[in-house]
Amino acid sequence: MEKGKRAELVSFLKSVPFVEFCCVYGSTLHPNNKDKSAMVDYILGVSDPLQWHSQNLKMNADHYASWLRLLGGARLITQVADDIGVRVHFNPFVTWNDKVHILVDNLDIANTNSVNLRAALSAALLLLPSKFTQEDLFAKICSLSYMGDLRMLFAEDKNKVKKIVQGQFDLFHSMYKPFLQEYEAKDFLRVSLSGTDQANISQDCGLPVTCSLVSSLPPSIRSHMGKKLGQKKIINEYGQAINEVIIGSREEASKCMQGVLRRIVMISSARQAVSGLLAVGGINATRYLANKMQKAWKSWT
């Protein structure tokens, strides 16, 4: 990201209380984006949401729906996010005139993110055939976030994943290159360059590799898969007793994981939709949904 653009984005943080983590994303940051009026999406991370919302209510009361401010203040705002949503307070229309880029990280999110990147690569490989292109891989990784998302049925651009990948292909490549090299060194896959810049990938779809890929998935997903496929206790390399999913075939593992992911994303998106509706109020929620549906409609016509 250019220094000038980064400084512009960071300057927003002067208008809100201190945060331990901040990243930005959205179509307006894509190099090939033509809609310069589109909003920048910020994710702010704080260690004490109640205290942060208390301070932000004093600084930016208009960030919250009036009923939240009047009936419960910071405590109710936090409860709506925690008990109804997925511990995220959502506001699509914070005034700001002026791939994910991390601007502030005092929580070591970058280190945690490397675990997530490996898990995302593993999940995508389980869903792909034995041969595919690098763009196919990145598209599959990107689609994991929308698998089961209710908004994709009526309020999202049907070409969203394709646009994200094509707009930030180089970023995807730089993010996942170390993990592709790691898996290539383990003989999980083989990357070969074609006549163009596009790389072709072939992967080992055997059961041992499948088991290794499943072991790299997040614990919550493995737990759900274990309940469906069965699990057994094993001792890992650190001498710890852990549950290992019993896998009969790659197809079985892929189908099970896909079902688990769909359910997790569906429930999370539904809860966050309700939480978002309560957080921003009926008028702003209607405005936000109308904008989303308009973009979705254009993608289908």
Side-chain angles (χ1 to χ4, degrees):
M1 183 190 297
E2 297 179 359
K3 289 184 178 180
K5 183 64 175 178
R6 181 183 178 85
E8 178 185 341
L9 294 170
V10 170
S11 65
F12 165 74
L13 298 179
K14 297 177 182 178
S15 66
V16 297
F18 174 79
V19 300
E20 282 89 0
F21 174 80
C22 173
C23 69
V24 292
Y25 66 100
S27 59
T28 190
L29 299 176
H30 295 182
N32 63 349
N33 178 63
K34 296 180 180 179
D35 183 10
K36 298 305 178 183
S37 65
M39 293 186 297
V40 175
D41 298 301
Y42 283 77
I43 293 179
L44 307 180
V46 298
S47 57
D48 189 338
L50 179 59
Q51 180 182 21
W52 191 90
H53 286 303
S54 296
Q55 295 174 350
N56 197 46
L57 273 169
K58 298 175 183 177
M59 297 172 63
N60 303 289
D62 59 329
H63 286 186
Y64 306 93
S66 58
W67 77 274
L68 283 173
R69 300 197 308 265
L70 297 174
L71 294 182
R75 187 168 299 280
L76 182 57
I77 291 168
T78 305
Q79 287 177 339
V80 168
D82 288 351
D83 300 337
I84 299 176
V86 289
R87 298 193 172 187
V88 176
H89 175 77
F90 175 70
N91 190 335
F93 295 115
V94 171
T95 301
W96 178 237
N97 297 320
D98 192 34
K99 80 189 186 198
V100 174
H101 298 277
I102 296 177
L103 302 180
V104 177
D105 184 10
N106 294 317
L107 298 177
D108 200 21
I109 298 296
N111 183 54
T112 302
N113 191 46
S114 66
V115 177
N116 292 336
L117 291 175
R118 184 181 288 103
L121 174 60
S122 298
L125 290 173
L126 286 169
L127 296 173
L128 286 165
S130 59
K131 295 182 179 180
F132 49 91
T133 66
Q134 201 168 33
E135 185 171 336
D136 293 333
L137 172 63
F138 297 155
K140 185 62 68 176
I141 289 172
C142 187
S143 70
L144 295 174
S145 299
Y146 302 103
M147 194 177 293
D149 192 329
L150 299 176
R151 296 172 302 174
M152 296 302 292
L153 298 176
F154 62 92
E156 287 289 2
D157 185 341
K158 71 181 181 70
N159 299 311
K160 184 168 186 173
V161 169
K162 182 178 180 180
K163 289 179 179 179
I164 291 174
V165 172
Q166 292 181 345
Q168 302 199 72
F169 188 89
D170 290 342
L171 178 59
F172 273 97
H173 182 266
S174 63
M175 287 169 59
Y176 286 96
K177 183 178 180 180
F179 305 100
L180 286 170
Q181 291 176 334
E182 174 189 329
Y183 280 7
E184 191 170 19
K186 292 180 177 180
D187 290 329
F188 287 6
L189 51 80
R190 181 173 301 150
V191 180
S192 59
L193 294 175
S194 58
T196 64
D197 293 334
Q198 181 66 263
N200 294 316
I201 302 174
S202 58
Q203 64 168 324
D204 183 342
C205 294
L207 199 56
V209 172
T210 298
C211 292
S212 293
L213 294 177
V214 170
S215 69
S216 295
L217 299 176
S220 60
I221 293 179
R222 296 202 310 271
S223 177
H224 284 295
M225 291 179 66
K227 292 176 182 177
K228 293 178 178 293
L229 302 178
Q231 53 191 4
K232 59 184 178 181
K233 290 281 187 181
I234 65 167
I235 305 299
N236 65 13
E237 57 185 316
Y238 304 107
Q240 301 169 324
I242 61 173
N243 290 320
E244 182 181 69
V245 181
I246 298 175
I247 299 172
S249 69
R250 188 181 184 88
E251 293 73 20
E252 179 184 62
S254 175
K255 184 178 180 179
C256 181
M257 184 198 68
Q258 188 171 40
V260 169
L261 281 174
R262 285 186 183 278
R263 179 173 174 78
I264 290 175
V265 174
M266 183 179 295
I267 293 175
S268 297
S269 66
R271 288 181 59 186
Q272 191 57 34
V274 174
S275 174
L277 174 63
L278 295 174
V280 304
I283 296 177
N284 277 341
T286 301
R287 177 183 164 199
Y288 177 73
L289 184 59
N291 288 345
K292 283 286 190 179
M293 292 183 69
Q294 184 179 22
K295 289 184 178 180
W297 175 254
K298 286 181 179 180
S299 73
W300 286 97
T301 58

